[in-house]
Amino acid sequence: MAGYDPEKDKKLNEWKCEETGLILSIHQYADGEPKLQIGPRVLKKKDGTDRAPSKAGRLSIEDVMWIYDIIDEVKDELSDVVGPE
């Protein structure tokens, strides 16, 4: 059985909450079904540059409200790439 191949892992779309650094993205591995990923979280350093990505961890109310605001767009995009069942 072959291991993970990063060449087969495609990011199809991405949304980032500027306030909290949380990232939602749609990924597809090889010919598999596209799926939504919650995280990582990319926070800013004091100088304004990005820190290293970290796990999303627990979601704040700001994260939840941001997801609530964009969920229809995310759902539509995921539905478009998954196609009819």
Side-chain angles (χ1 to χ4, degrees):
M1 176 181 213
Y4 172 77
D5 181 355
E7 294 290 320
K8 295 180 180 180
D9 199 7
K10 300 175 280 194
K11 184 185 302 183
L12 305 178
N13 206 335
E14 179 179 278
W15 297 263
K16 181 177 181 182
C17 179
E18 294 303 323
E19 184 177 319
T20 67
L22 183 64
I23 296 174
L24 297 186
S25 52
I26 297 173
H27 289 262
Q28 182 178 21
Y29 187 78
D31 294 325
E33 180 180 353
K35 296 180 182 177
L36 178 66
Q37 176 173 317
I38 299 176
R41 187 180 301 276
V42 179
L43 301 173
K44 298 280 184 192
K45 296 179 185 176
K46 289 182 181 180
D47 66 5
T49 60
D50 287 343
R51 288 178 31 190
S54 62
K55 290 183 180 182
R58 296 176 182 172
L59 303 182
S60 67
I61 189 64
E62 290 85 4
D63 292 324
V64 173
M65 296 305 295
W66 174 70
I67 292 171
Y68 181 80
D69 289 343
I70 68 165
I71 197 65
D72 287 333
E73 178 184 347
V74 173
K75 176 186 62 93
D76 291 345
E77 183 69 27
L78 188 56
S79 295
D80 288 348
V81 296
V82 169
E85 291 194 21

